[in-house]
Amino acid sequence: MVVASGIVVRNGRFLICKRLPFCRDGALWEFPTAEIVEGETAEDALEKHVFVCLSVQVMGSAPLGAGDLDTPKGARLLVLGVKTENRAINLCGYSGKRWVRFCDFNHFRLTKSAQLALRCIKNFAL
């Protein structure tokens, strides 16, 4: 399985979303993350996911890193910086959202994919 996480930054803060409590990794925080289906690019998967779950249009994206997730079935994570239109975000598919400074991520219970994404972007100036 291959998944893509979208790193959205506004005013120096990163968007994280809280997973629904009844889902796998329920109530943990993550960057908007989409599974990539066969024949789809990471950019296409994230554009669709961000539009459906956050109600904003993706204006562009760029790769920031990648890594392997330590999960029972294994997965590859692609991390992309995502530029969105600058308007309010309306959630569908998440139970909450926060705009977080990089130094404050330690206050949140993050999914494994979010932890790996943080390692990928740590040295990037977004």
Side-chain angles (χ1 to χ4, degrees), residues 16 100-110 115 118:
I16 57 172
V100 180
R101 293 179 301 163
F102 193 87
C103 62
D104 292 331
F105 276 109
N106 60 332
H107 300 294
F108 293 86
R109 291 182 55 227
L110 301 173
Q115 293 171 28
L118 280 176

Side-chain angles (χ1 to χ4, degrees), residues 64-83:
L64 299 177
D68 294 317
L69 289 168
D70 181 21
T71 62
K73 293 183 179 180
R76 183 81 174 150
L77 175 71
L78 307 177
V79 181
L80 287 88
V82 175
K83 181 175 173 56

Side-chain angles (χ1 to χ4, degrees), residues 23-59:
C23 294
R24 181 181 48 80
D25 291 334
L28 297 180
W29 293 88
E30 69 177 1
F31 297 103
T33 300
E35 183 175 344
I36 302 170
V37 297
E38 190 171 332
E40 188 175 45
T41 67
E43 293 83 2
D44 290 341
L46 273 177
E47 184 173 338
K48 180 174 57 177
H49 180 77
V50 166
F51 182 74
V52 169
C53 294
L54 305 177
S55 300
V56 292
Q57 199 73 31
V58 171
M59 308 305 286

Side-chain angles (χ1 to χ4, degrees), residues 17 27 30 44 55 58 75-76 86 90-91 94-95 98 107:
C17 300
E30 69 177 1
D44 290 341
S55 300
V58 171
R76 183 81 174 150
N86 195 16
N90 299 306
L91 295 179
Y94 288 108
S95 64
R98 293 275 162 61
H107 300 294

